[in-house]
Amino acid sequence: MAYWLMKSEPDVFGIDDLKRVKVEPWDGVRNYQARNMMRDEMKKGDEVFFYHSNCEVPGIVGIMTVEREGYPDDTAFNPEAKYYDPKSDPDKPRWYRVDVRFKRKFKETIPLSDLKTYPELADMALVRKGNRLSIMPVSPQEWDFIMGLVKE
């Protein structure tokens, strides 16, 4: 099993939305590095931190699991869709997505500002300057450390 972190803006799709619908396609990713992780590396059962971005207190708000491994993101083929890409072809898809399943919402957000203060997380992609990826791997050590911060 691998560990991941995936970002979403809570006013677009947040942890409460996932809790309500249970399983959701994680679509609209339009970055090749993030696409490659979804297409080639994410496996069913992998655990994922749900991270709220671009909000008052950005941070980790819960956990989800990969429910379905990478498959073509058909929003890229639909001219009416928000994430339409006219250069994407159903016979040779450019963009992929995974389905995620709600597992747990934390009682409190673990703020990015706090995560940046821990030497144990100094090498984590999330806290490094200039990292803008919406999907990133999390090491088992980082996962365990962050889980130790969760308030019960």
Side-chain angles (χ1 to χ4, degrees):
M1 178 174 60
Y3 300 102
W4 304 93
L5 181 141
M6 297 169 80
K7 297 178 181 178
S8 182
E9 297 177 12
D11 61 340
V12 174
F13 187 83
I15 190 79
D16 291 328
D17 298 306
L18 183 59
K19 184 177 182 180
R20 180 178 37 79
V21 298
K22 307 291 186 249
V23 176
E24 180 76 5
W26 201 269
D27 57 16
V29 173
R30 299 296 182 260
N31 171 283
Y32 288 109
Q33 189 176 357
R35 183 259 341 244
N36 292 349
M37 285 184 258
M38 287 195 300
R39 183 188 67 195
D40 304 333
E41 299 176 44
M42 290 182 146
K43 301 296 178 207
K44 184 173 177 155
D46 284 358
E47 293 199 313
V48 184
F49 284 129
F50 196 127
Y51 181 95
H52 280 175
S53 63
N54 200 22
C55 56
E56 188 176 330
V57 181
I60 299 171
V61 295
I63 300 173
M64 53 193 176
T65 58
V66 175
E67 178 69 16
R68 180 178 176 193
E69 295 178 14
Y71 63 100
D73 181 349
D74 63 5
T75 64
F77 315 133
N78 180 355
E80 306 298 315
K82 179 178 180 181
Y83 300 113
Y84 174 62
D85 178 357
K87 294 180 180 175
S88 194
D89 179 347
D91 294 327
K92 194 175 179 185
R94 178 181 291 198
W95 304 113
Y96 281 72
R97 63 185 174 194
V98 297
D99 290 352
V100 293
R101 175 179 291 280
F102 175 83
K103 184 172 183 180
R104 177 178 177 194
K105 179 180 176 180
F106 296 156
K107 288 186 179 181
E108 295 181 19
T109 299
I110 303 172
L112 175 61
S113 58
D114 287 2
L115 295 170
K116 288 180 174 183
T117 68
Y118 297 106
E120 296 87 346
L121 301 177
D123 293 328
M124 187 177 187
L126 178 67
V127 302
R128 288 197 309 253
K129 251 190 181 355
N131 193 317
R132 308 263 313 151
L133 279 180
S134 62
I135 297 172
M136 56 193 69
V138 175
S139 75
Q141 295 79 15
E142 293 163 346
W143 183 273
D144 291 343
F145 183 83
I146 292 169
M147 287 304 296
L149 303 174
V150 175
K151 301 217 186 335
E152 297 299 329

